[in-house]
PDB file of all heavy atoms in Angstrom:
ATOM      1  N   GLN A  30      -1.198  -1.406 -31.824  1.00  0.00           N
ATOM      2  CA  GLN A  30      -2.112  -0.861 -30.819  1.00  0.00           C
ATOM      3  C   GLN A  30      -1.732  -1.361 -29.435  1.00  0.00           C
ATOM      4  O   GLN A  30      -1.557  -2.569 -29.234  1.00  0.00           O
ATOM      5  CB  GLN A  30      -3.560  -1.263 -31.117  1.00  0.00           C
ATOM      6  CG  GLN A  30      -4.091  -0.722 -32.456  1.00  0.00           C
ATOM      7  CD  GLN A  30      -4.147   0.798 -32.470  1.00  0.00           C
ATOM      8  OE1 GLN A  30      -4.552   1.413 -31.475  1.00  0.00           O
ATOM      9  NE2 GLN A  30      -3.796   1.416 -33.581  1.00  0.00           N
ATOM     10  N   ALA A  31      -1.545  -0.427 -28.487  1.00  0.00           N
ATOM     11  CA  ALA A  31      -1.231  -0.839 -27.140  1.00  0.00           C
ATOM     12  C   ALA A  31      -2.425  -1.570 -26.517  1.00  0.00           C
ATOM     13  O   ALA A  31      -3.580  -1.229 -26.765  1.00  0.00           O
ATOM     14  CB  ALA A  31      -0.908   0.398 -26.275  1.00  0.00           C
ATOM     15  N   ALA A  32      -2.104  -2.586 -25.742  1.00  0.00           N
ATOM     16  CA  ALA A  32      -3.182  -3.343 -25.090  1.00  0.00           C
ATOM     17  C   ALA A  32      -3.905  -2.438 -24.105  1.00  0.00           C
ATOM     18  O   ALA A  32      -3.263  -1.645 -23.412  1.00  0.00           O
ATOM     19  CB  ALA A  32      -2.597  -4.547 -24.373  1.00  0.00           C
ATOM     20  N   PRO A  33      -5.222  -2.493 -24.072  1.00  0.00           N
ATOM     21  CA  PRO A  33      -5.951  -1.637 -23.126  1.00  0.00           C
ATOM     22  C   PRO A  33      -5.596  -1.991 -21.691  1.00  0.00           C
ATOM     23  O   PRO A  33      -5.354  -3.135 -21.366  1.00  0.00           O
ATOM     24  CB  PRO A  33      -7.412  -1.957 -23.433  1.00  0.00           C
ATOM     25  CG  PRO A  33      -7.404  -3.290 -24.077  1.00  0.00           C
ATOM     26  CD  PRO A  33      -6.102  -3.377 -24.822  1.00  0.00           C
ATOM     27  N   ALA A  34      -5.550  -0.958 -20.849  1.00  0.00           N
ATOM     28  CA  ALA A  34      -5.244  -1.186 -19.426  1.00  0.00           C
ATOM     29  C   ALA A  34      -6.348  -1.972 -18.769  1.00  0.00           C
ATOM     30  O   ALA A  34      -7.533  -1.748 -19.044  1.00  0.00           O
ATOM     31  CB  ALA A  34      -5.021   0.133 -18.722  1.00  0.00           C
ATOM     32  N   ALA A  35      -5.960  -2.906 -17.924  1.00  0.00           N
ATOM     33  CA  ALA A  35      -6.946  -3.647 -17.152  1.00  0.00           C
ATOM     34  C   ALA A  35      -7.273  -2.853 -15.889  1.00  0.00           C
ATOM     35  O   ALA A  35      -6.472  -2.048 -15.414  1.00  0.00           O
ATOM     36  CB  ALA A  35      -6.399  -5.025 -16.772  1.00  0.00           C
ATOM     37  N   THR A  36      -8.470  -3.063 -15.357  1.00  0.00           N
ATOM     38  CA  THR A  36      -8.929  -2.395 -14.158  1.00  0.00           C
ATOM     39  C   THR A  36      -9.364  -3.397 -13.115  1.00  0.00           C
ATOM     40  O   THR A  36     -10.009  -4.406 -13.445  1.00  0.00           O
ATOM     41  CB  THR A  36     -10.078  -1.430 -14.453  1.00  0.00           C
ATOM     42  OG1 THR A  36      -9.670  -0.491 -15.459  1.00  0.00           O
ATOM     43  CG2 THR A  36     -10.496  -0.660 -13.221  1.00  0.00           C
ATOM     44  N   ALA A  37      -9.016  -3.163 -11.867  1.00  0.00           N
ATOM     45  CA  ALA A  37      -9.471  -4.032 -10.779  1.00  0.00           C
ATOM     46  C   ALA A  37      -9.787  -3.166  -9.588  1.00  0.00           C
ATOM     47  O   ALA A  37      -9.155  -2.129  -9.336  1.00  0.00           O
ATOM     48  CB  ALA A  37      -8.392  -5.043 -10.422  1.00  0.00           C
ATOM     49  N   THR A  38     -10.756  -3.574  -8.790  1.00  0.00           N
ATOM     50  CA  THR A  38     -11.154  -2.860  -7.584  1.00  0.00           C
ATOM     51  C   THR A  38     -10.719  -3.652  -6.364  1.00  0.00           C
ATOM     52  O   THR A  38     -10.955  -4.865  -6.301  1.00  0.00           O
ATOM     53  CB  THR A  38     -12.678  -2.624  -7.570  1.00  0.00           C
ATOM     54  OG1 THR A  38     -13.031  -1.865  -8.714  1.00  0.00           O
ATOM     55  CG2 THR A  38     -13.083  -1.883  -6.312  1.00  0.00           C
ATOM     56  N   TYR A  39     -10.110  -2.964  -5.418  1.00  0.00           N
ATOM     57  CA  TYR A  39      -9.616  -3.613  -4.196  1.00  0.00           C
ATOM     58  C   TYR A  39     -10.171  -2.937  -2.961  1.00  0.00           C
ATOM     59  O   TYR A  39     -10.259  -1.682  -2.889  1.00  0.00           O
ATOM     60  CB  TYR A  39      -8.084  -3.592  -4.168  1.00  0.00           C
ATOM     61  CG  TYR A  39      -7.466  -4.450  -5.225  1.00  0.00           C
ATOM     62  CD1 TYR A  39      -6.958  -3.887  -6.386  1.00  0.00           C
ATOM     63  CD2 TYR A  39      -7.427  -5.833  -5.107  1.00  0.00           C
ATOM     64  CE1 TYR A  39      -6.391  -4.671  -7.373  1.00  0.00           C
ATOM     65  CE2 TYR A  39      -6.875  -6.622  -6.103  1.00  0.00           C
ATOM     66  CZ  TYR A  39      -6.368  -6.035  -7.228  1.00  0.00           C
ATOM     67  OH  TYR A  39      -5.828  -6.831  -8.226  1.00  0.00           O
TER      68      TYR A  39
END
Side-chain angles (χ1 to χ4, degrees):
Q30 298 295 320
T36 302
T38 300
Y39 292 102

